[in-house]
Amino acid sequence: MRNHFCFQIFFIQFYLILFGVSGICEIEQQSILIRLKNELQFNSLLSSKLVSWEPNAADCCTWIGVNCSIGGQVISLDLSNETISGGIDDSSSLFRLESLETLNLAGNNFNSTPIPSGFGSLTSLRNLNLSNSWFSGQIPGELSHLTKLQVLDLSSFFSFRSLKLESPNLGMLIKNLTQLKVLYLDSVNISAQKSDWCQALSSSLLDLEALSLSTCQLSGPLDDSLGNLQSLSIPGSICNATYLKVLDLSNNNLTGRIPQCLIESGGGSIGVLNLGGNSLSGRIEGIFPSICGLNTLDLHGNRLEGEIPGSLVNCNMLEVLNLGNNNMIDTFPCFLRNNTSLRVLVLRNNKFHGSVRCRDQERNNWSKIQILDIAHNEFNGTVPTDCFWQWDSMMVNDDGEESSKKHLSFKVLTLNEFYYQDTVTVMIKGLELELLKILTLFTSVDISSNHFSGEIPTTIGRLTALYMLNVSHNDFTGSIPSSIGNLSQLESLDMSSNKLNGVIPSVLTTLSFLSFLNLSNNQLSGRIPPGSQFQTFEEGSFEGNKGLCGFPLNRRCTSQGVIVSKNAPNFEDSNGYDWQFIFTGVGFGAGAAIVIGPLVLSKQGRNFWDKYTNKIVEIICLILGIHYAAYGLFNQDEHDEKETQDIDESSDEDEFLSEVDQSKGRYCVFCTKLDFSRKQAIHDTKCTCFDQTPTLSTSVSTSSTEVESPFTKL
């Protein structure tokens, strides 16, 4: 029993050593971590690590983000993405964790403060990650004291507020970091280095496996040693780094040619070669080796010319090929269709030409392709069906001899080996075939701005993982395939500037994720299908199709045809009645009748109208400094006139004047005008007519013409 117990103890110790299981945290180490937590500023609502650190916990080695050695020393600290915004300076408790081997502070926000020089005291560090933490300013030279470093990541997604290497420069920083295997300095400003960075790296970092200097403001041609086309093993150059697996120099200002050694010598070991976003020119020289481990080749956004090297076929592990935005002249690279690993093919904005159809014997083995972008080239002809999917070969007995319903399983699509749909059973000439339908990996297809013609293949609807489809600016004819309605993940669809005709399939309204649609400048006709998603698209998505009608176009549909309407919204029913127009008219009519009716049909209403309109005009005239004569003085309706004529005609002038408001001023035809309703006189007080108020006629007996004119009483 005792021997068995001893064996268990030995086994436990062996297990701890073998798998690196943390020991029990030392009290001093725990107190340092608690002080560090109190020093740091972070959002407790978003934190998942620091917020869980409790002073009363028995073992700090069990805290999230903390790993310890067998002796209880903290050797690994991961505080990435903890919303830390302050608390790191040279006096921080962090620098008292002298046994740290791995430190990750990535994804925090240190508000553009400099990197503390205290990091240089953590001489046991092997892995230091300060990426995307918003440090800025000069990188401290004390980092060169970390001679055990194997991974150093100071990269950032953003070039502004970036770090810089001036004094010390890159050569001085890495001079003692001879054990470095991974160096990421993306967006660090090292523009002052010119071409010295290449010599510094190749002479100091002999075991370097991954180097990323993207967006570092490097300029000029690549180092002469890299551009030497006569040797495959050049002392003092990156090409001599036989272990290099990743080289990313993208988005700089590099000029000149691509060093041939990167193709011929580096091609055997480099897995990722990214020189995109520079100003490199010339042809892609050299021959890719027969044993090529290249996984990603990204040369986009340069000024490269010539053809795609045929030796690229040797790189049968190639997954990403991006040659977009260059000046390359070539035909479609049919030789790459035998590459079973290719996932991304980008040839956009070059001068590729001809058909994309390859010879029949060249089988399409792009079984993992996800992104196909050949836009803005000069391709022509029809789009082959097998450009997107293919059937595995099978034999079917046309005579139906195998009528015993034998199940033959085969792939309808060979573009995705991960996601399976339900098995579908169909009958072909009495033979029952079990179809194993497999979804495609295609997520993006862009063949826009070419000269493709013919109809869009209906098989496009089988690319059920597709989220972006752009076939615009071609010469496609025929109708929009209704099979596009099967693309349930589709977010962007652009078929503009073609010659498509027919109606818009109503099944497109079921694409619930569709956020961008452009069907403009075609020959489509009929009603735009109504649907919750289609109601969000603007007129520009459908303009340039003379036969289309309905919302959101400014044309409404009827059963007799298309009628131009000033009202863009379309609310017609199946019989062609525009109910919105009808309801609007009825509403305005009813409202007008309710308001105007009482004023027109009753004398009390008319008097009410006269009273308040007079007050409004009086206020306006007072503001303008104008006197006016009230409506009641000059205007009488027919009933009042009849009553007036029945009054004693012997009324004298004084009796009439008593009815006139003398405060209104003097009136005459030269200084008085009628208002716009021709019911009221408005007098200009600055106008002088007579020295005295004109004498009114003593004779009240006037002609009918004089009675109708208000000035007969002046």
Side-chain angles (χ1 to χ4, degrees):
M1 176 65 68
R2 180 178 301 175
N3 291 337
H4 180 66
F5 179 73
C6 292
F7 175 76
Q8 288 180 333
I9 295 177
F10 171 78
F11 180 79
I12 292 174
Q13 292 178 343
F14 175 78
Y15 179 82
L16 293 176
I17 295 174
L18 181 63
F19 294 98
V21 178
S22 297
I24 298 176
C25 181
E26 291 185 354
I27 297 177
E28 181 184 1
Q29 297 283 290
Q30 181 164 325
S31 62
I32 293 175
L33 292 177
I34 292 300
R35 285 198 297 271
L36 176 61
K37 174 184 177 181
N38 295 333
E39 293 170 359
L40 297 176
Q41 302 173 19
F42 62 95
N43 189 332
S44 59
L45 297 177
L46 301 177
S47 170
S48 61
K49 301 168 187 175
L50 288 168
V51 73
S52 66
W53 293 6
E54 294 294 338
N56 298 327
D59 186 4
C60 70
C61 294
T62 61
W63 292 352
I64 302 176
V66 178
N67 284 318
C68 301
S69 65
I70 300 301
Q73 299 287 320
V74 177
I75 59 174
S76 177
L77 186 61
D78 183 0
L79 295 179
S80 59
N81 301 305
E82 277 293 283
T83 68
I84 300 173
S85 58
I88 298 290
D89 54 31
D90 291 334
S91 62
S92 173
S93 298
L94 173 66
F95 304 127
R96 297 184 60 187
L97 299 173
E98 298 176 353
S99 298
L100 271 181
E101 297 179 4
T102 298
L103 176 60
N104 189 350
L105 296 177
N108 290 291
N109 185 357
F110 291 101
N111 299 315
S112 300
T113 58
I115 296 177
S117 59
F119 282 103
S121 64
L122 302 176
T123 55
S124 296
L125 276 179
R126 298 178 182 272
N127 189 330
L128 177 60
N129 189 347
L130 303 180
S131 62
N132 298 304
S133 291
W134 293 95
F135 285 115
S136 66
Q138 173 66 40
I139 295 176
E142 286 77 5
L143 292 187
S144 63
H145 300 162
L146 306 178
T147 57
K148 295 182 180 180
L149 268 185
Q150 296 182 4
V151 177
L152 177 60
D153 190 348
L154 304 179
S155 62
S156 174
F157 291 138
F158 308 101
S159 57
F160 58 95
R161 298 185 183 179
S162 64
L163 294 166
K164 60 182 178 180
L165 273 172
E166 293 181 352
S167 179
N169 59 22
L170 179 60
M172 297 170 62
L173 175 68
I174 65 174
K175 182 177 181 180
N176 298 324
L177 307 182
T178 57
Q179 297 187 33
L180 267 183
K181 294 184 178 181
V182 176
L183 178 60
Y184 292 155
L185 298 178
D186 299 337
S187 296
V188 175
N189 186 347
I190 57 177
S191 59
Q193 314 300 299
K194 297 184 179 179
S195 61
D196 297 338
W197 60 271
C198 182
Q199 294 287 348
L201 290 168
S202 58
S203 61
S204 299
L205 307 181
L206 301 179
D207 295 330
L208 196 64
E209 297 181 3
L211 173 65
S212 185
L213 299 179
S214 175
T215 320
C216 289
Q217 303 183 40
L218 301 173
S219 60
L222 292 171
D223 187 73
D224 291 341
S225 60
L226 293 177
N228 191 333
L229 304 180
Q230 304 300 319
S231 176
L232 302 181
S233 180
I234 306 171
S237 75
I238 281 184
C239 293
N240 200 35
T242 57
Y243 297 104
L244 194 64
K245 299 295 189 298
V246 176
L247 178 60
D248 187 348
L249 303 178
S250 61
N251 300 315
N252 286 290
N253 299 312
L254 300 176
T255 59
R257 294 176 176 268
I258 299 175
Q260 186 173 349
C261 65
L262 291 179
I263 302 298
E264 296 188 342
S265 179
S269 60
I270 291 181
V272 175
L273 178 59
N274 188 351
L275 302 177
N278 284 284
S279 299
L280 298 171
S281 58
R283 302 171 67 92
I284 303 176
E285 302 287 352
I287 299 175
F288 289 93
S290 57
I291 302 177
C292 177
L294 198 62
N295 178 272
T296 297
L297 178 60
D298 192 342
L299 303 176
H300 82 278
N302 283 284
R303 301 173 183 174
L304 299 177
E305 303 172 349
E307 302 175 350
I308 302 175
S311 60
L312 191 60
V313 72
N314 296 330
C315 303
N316 53 16
M317 299 177 62
L318 189 67
E319 295 185 7
V320 177
L321 177 60
N322 189 349
L323 301 175
N325 298 287
N326 280 286
N327 298 317
M328 302 187 71
I329 302 176
D330 201 353
T331 57
F332 189 78
C334 288
F335 64 89
L336 291 178
R337 300 182 77 180
N338 292 322
N339 188 321
T340 59
S341 300
L342 196 63
R343 295 178 181 270
V344 177
L345 176 61
V346 179
L347 304 177
R348 70 178 293 118
N349 200 19
N350 276 279
K351 299 178 182 178
F352 288 99
H353 55 87
S355 174
V356 297
R357 290 183 176 273
C358 300
R359 295 193 302 270
D360 294 338
Q361 60 266 30
E362 294 190 76
R363 181 180 175 81
N364 176 12
N365 291 322
W366 285 350
S367 57
K368 297 181 181 178
I369 194 76
Q370 290 180 274
I371 297 176
L372 175 65
D373 189 348
I374 57 176
H376 296 275
N377 280 288
E378 299 174 4
F379 290 118
N380 55 37
T382 59
V383 178
T385 301
D386 64 349
C387 182
F388 303 115
W389 69 282
Q390 71 174 62
W391 295 73
D392 279 359
S393 60
M394 74 170 192
M395 296 182 62
V396 179
N397 191 331
D398 292 338
D399 297 330
E401 294 179 357
E402 300 184 21
S403 58
S404 59
K405 296 185 179 180
K406 178 180 178 181
H407 286 72
L408 299 178
S409 295
F410 64 94
K411 295 179 180 179
V412 174
L413 301 173
T414 61
L415 301 181
N416 187 340
E417 66 273 28
F418 300 109
Y419 306 101
Y420 292 87
Q421 291 182 344
D422 295 334
T423 298
V424 181
T425 301
V426 298
M427 298 293 296
I428 301 179
K429 293 187 176 181
L431 177 62
E432 184 177 356
L433 300 179
E434 184 179 7
L435 306 184
L436 184 60
K437 187 180 294 186
I438 304 176
L439 295 179
T440 71
L441 275 177
F442 262 113
T443 57
S444 174
V445 173
D446 189 345
I447 59 175
S448 62
S449 299
N450 281 284
H451 304 291
F452 289 118
S453 58
E455 297 185 356
I456 298 174
T458 59
T459 51
I460 196 72
R462 299 183 183 273
L463 307 180
T464 50
L466 203 64
Y467 69 85
M468 193 279 284
L469 175 61
N470 189 350
V471 298
S472 65
H473 295 87
N474 280 287
D475 296 318
F476 285 116
T477 57
S479 59
I480 299 175
S482 59
S483 60
I484 293 180
N486 299 328
L487 308 180
S488 58
Q489 305 298 318
L490 199 63
E491 299 177 8
S492 176
L493 176 61
D494 193 345
M495 294 184 165
S496 61
S497 300
N498 281 284
K499 300 176 182 178
L500 300 174
N501 53 43
V503 299
I504 300 175
S506 59
V507 71
L508 296 187
T509 61
T510 63
L511 300 176
S512 56
F513 290 102
L514 195 64
S515 58
F516 176 82
L517 175 68
N518 192 353
L519 302 178
S520 63
N521 300 314
N522 279 285
Q523 300 171 8
L524 301 172
S525 60
R527 185 189 304 274
I528 297 175
S532 57
Q533 196 69 18
F534 266 52
Q535 301 301 317
T536 64
F537 300 125
E538 299 180 354
E539 183 178 359
S541 297
F542 306 98
E543 64 183 2
N545 293 278
K546 296 182 179 180
L548 280 182
C549 59
F551 183 80
L553 293 178
N554 194 24
R555 295 189 293 270
R556 60 188 181 92
C557 303
T558 66
S559 57
Q560 290 78 20
V562 178
I563 299 179
V564 178
S565 172
K566 294 182 180 180
N567 299 320
N570 181 23
F571 294 90
E572 307 99 325
D573 64 5
S574 59
N575 295 322
Y577 296 105
D578 191 338
W579 289 107
Q580 185 193 33
F581 180 80
I582 295 174
F583 289 147
T584 302
V586 173
F588 276 112
I594 294 174
V595 175
I596 299 176
L599 300 179
V600 175
L601 300 179
S602 68
K603 181 177 180 181
Q604 184 178 1
R606 293 194 299 273
N607 292 335
F608 177 83
W609 173 265
D610 294 340
K611 177 180 178 181
Y612 283 96
T613 53
N614 283 338
K615 287 184 178 180
I616 294 174
V617 174
E618 180 181 3
I619 293 173
I620 296 175
C621 291
L622 288 176
I623 295 175
L624 298 176
I626 300 174
H627 288 289
Y628 79 105
Y631 161 76
L633 177 63
F634 300 118
N635 189 38
Q636 295 176 329
D637 58 22
E638 295 179 357
H639 180 72
D640 293 336
E641 288 178 359
K642 184 176 181 180
E643 291 180 352
T644 303
Q645 291 176 0
D646 296 335
I647 300 176
D648 186 10
E649 296 181 357
S650 62
S651 299
D652 57 11
E653 177 182 2
D654 295 334
E655 183 179 0
F656 177 76
L657 289 174
S658 65
E659 299 178 0
V660 178
D661 187 355
Q662 300 296 330
S663 65
K664 303 298 182 181
R666 296 174 295 178
Y667 305 94
C668 69
V669 294
F670 299 102
C671 301
T672 306
K673 296 182 180 180
L674 292 178
D675 66 355
F676 70 94
S677 64
R678 303 187 64 84
K679 293 183 178 180
Q680 193 162 279
I682 300 177
H683 179 69
D684 185 356
T685 56
K686 298 180 181 179
C687 178
T688 303
C689 294
F690 306 98
D691 293 335
Q692 298 179 353
T693 303
T695 303
L696 298 179
S697 173
T698 58
S699 175
V700 185
S701 177
T702 60
S703 65
S704 61
T705 304
E706 292 173 332
V707 172
E708 293 177 358
S709 174
F711 296 104
T712 58
K713 299 183 181 180
L714 294 178

